[in-house]
Amino acid sequence: DIQMTQSPSSVSASVGDRVTITCQASQGISSWLGWYQQKPGRAPNLLIYAASSLQSGVPSRFSGSVSGTDFTLTITSLQPEDFATYYCQQANSFPLTFGGGTKVEIK
Amino acid sequence: QVQLQESGPGLVKPSETLSLICAVSGYFISSGYYWGWIRQSPGKGLEWIGSLYHTGTTYYNPSLKSRVTISLDRSKNHFSLILSSVTAADTAVYYCARLGAGAAARTMDVWGKGTTVTVSS
């Protein structure tokens, strides 16, 4: 199985800050990676697929990138509605696996 | 617009079988896509349970494979999850989801709201 190591597990930030979350795959997955946002009591919401493609309706302050097996989700200019937990997920092959999550909290 | 809705008992006794249904509206599931189940234990992260293709081909999480069955009911336009011999560790919110296609293949682009299942006597 492909393991996804996500860091940090939590980050404190202020409105307007730039936030970066990383995910490392245990083996090569090309660009087969998705990023999700989850708010308390809600289902996850797909933000980015194929490592860097923005899902329809997602604000452009969210972006994704890849370098080898390292993936990054960047939120530029954090907004109040962005405080949530973020997960990466490898989409290269079954079994599908998620990172452990990153909680973005208000500083 | 595709919508998914989970349903099933909220309480299951230990050692019994958990059965959930995901009703799909806005799309005929026999027409395409992978469909799947994901769960989230209280305060924990997301765990993929398994997925099935519209043809009926299935893939399961190896850690649950011996206890899981996911199947399609084309006539009712829904798919189901059966998890046998449940324990307290199976207490979770269970989500159903559609997996995307093309560049979004195997990412979950449409989700149900989730249903809470508690395993307790």
Side-chain angles (χ1 to χ4, degrees):
Chain A
D1 300 0
I2 299 171
Q3 308 304 316
M4 303 302 296
T5 303
Q6 189 172 341
S7 62
S9 57
S10 66
V11 57
S12 293
S14 301
V15 172
D17 284 354
R18 178 187 181 97
V19 172
T20 299
I21 299 168
T22 63
C23 233
Q24 183 175 62
S26 61
Q27 64 189 71
I29 59 170
S30 187
S31 294
W32 293 107
L33 185 112
W35 287 100
Y36 301 85
Q37 177 192 66
Q38 186 179 33
K39 296 181 180 179
R42 304 287 296 274
N45 180 50
L46 180 65
L47 299 175
I48 286 172
Y49 62 91
S52 60
S53 296
L54 207 61
Q55 177 71 344
S56 176
V58 174
S60 58
R61 62 181 179 274
F62 291 93
S63 64
S65 63
V66 55
S67 176
T69 58
D70 295 329
F71 297 82
T72 301
L73 172 69
T74 299
I75 313 170
T76 56
S77 190
L78 198 68
Q79 297 301 299
E81 60 268 30
D82 301 335
F83 290 96
T85 301
Y86 295 83
Y87 294 93
C88 62
Q89 176 239 321
Q90 68 82 13
N92 182 74
S93 59
F94 294 109
L96 306 177
T97 47
F98 290 90
T102 297
K103 187 173 184 179
V104 177
E105 301 174 298
I106 301 172
K107 183 183 282 185
Chain B
Q1 180 185 356
V2 181
Q3 292 184 313
L4 285 66
Q5 178 67 60
E6 305 89 348
S7 63
L11 182 65
V12 181
K13 290 182 169 54
S15 80
E16 295 192 344
T17 296
L18 178 164
S19 296
L20 298 175
I21 284 173
C22 181
V24 180
S25 58
Y27 187 83
F28 290 113
I29 56 176
S30 55
S31 296
Y33 289 102
Y34 277 94
W35 307 86
W37 290 94
I38 303 93
R39 70 181 183 179
Q40 186 169 36
S41 300
K44 302 294 186 184
L46 300 167
E47 179 181 31
W48 174 76
I49 299 171
S51 295
L52 87 167
Y53 197 40
H54 67 98
T55 57
T57 301
T58 53
Y59 297 90
Y60 297 128
N61 187 321
S63 68
L64 299 169
K65 188 173 183 177
S66 63
R67 300 193 291 130
V68 172
T69 302
I70 297 175
S71 59
L72 208 57
D73 188 327
R74 294 179 177 83
S75 64
K76 296 180 180 176
N77 210 44
H78 74 218
F79 60 102
S80 62
L81 169 69
I82 295 176
L83 181 65
S84 63
S85 304
V86 297
T87 70
D90 295 309
T91 294
V93 176
Y94 286 76
Y95 297 100
C96 60
R98 186 185 78 173
L99 279 62
R106 295 176 294 280
T107 52
M108 294 94 181
D109 64 351
V110 182
W111 293 70
K113 288 184 167 62
T115 188
T116 299
V117 177
T118 301
V119 178
S120 175
S121 55

